[in-house]
Amino acid sequence: MKAIIQTSSKRADGARDCFATFETDAKVNELAWQKAGLTWTASGYGMRIPTRYMVRLHGKWRRVYCRQISNAGTLYVGKMEDRVIVRDVQAC
């Protein structure tokens, strides 16, 4: 599996600049509650929902999280403030 990672920074005026977009390795590593078919929250919404995906970033496997506050979620690695966004996870 492969993932496309995009890093960015925030300007003083609030706009964002894209620093780098690169491809890295990804894998599926489900947690116990995911294997049992459960969800992280009853509503399905949350600020830091663990996904079943992990990506290799700087030589280490990192969990991909989802920020789901409306119908569209954002996948990210680390903290949302770090601005390391996962744009796509695809099977090869």
Side-chain angles (χ1 to χ4, degrees):
M1 294 182 80
K2 294 289 181 184
I4 298 173
I5 305 288
Q6 184 177 26
T7 62
S8 64
S9 69
K10 191 173 183 181
R11 293 182 184 176
D13 66 356
R16 288 193 177 178
D17 280 332
C18 179
F19 275 160
T21 301
F22 58 94
E23 190 175 273
T24 187
D25 294 327
K27 68 179 181 179
V28 173
N29 185 8
E30 290 185 332
L31 299 167
W33 56 269
Q34 291 167 329
K35 290 178 184 175
L38 302 173
T39 59
W40 183 250
T41 61
S43 66
Y45 297 104
M47 299 297 281
R48 190 173 166 89
I49 301 172
T51 67
R52 61 190 205 135
Y53 298 110
M54 295 186 82
V55 295
R56 185 180 295 275
L57 190 62
H58 305 301
K60 294 183 179 181
W61 286 102
R62 304 285 184 181
R63 174 76 53 194
V64 176
Y65 293 93
C66 182
R67 182 179 191 171
Q68 185 80 33
I69 56 175
S70 65
N71 289 340
T74 302
L75 298 177
Y76 64 96
V77 178
K79 298 177 183 169
M80 192 66 180
E81 296 79 32
D82 294 340
R83 293 178 181 77
V84 179
I85 306 296
V86 179
R87 289 289 173 207
D88 193 17
V89 178
Q90 47 189 270
C92 294

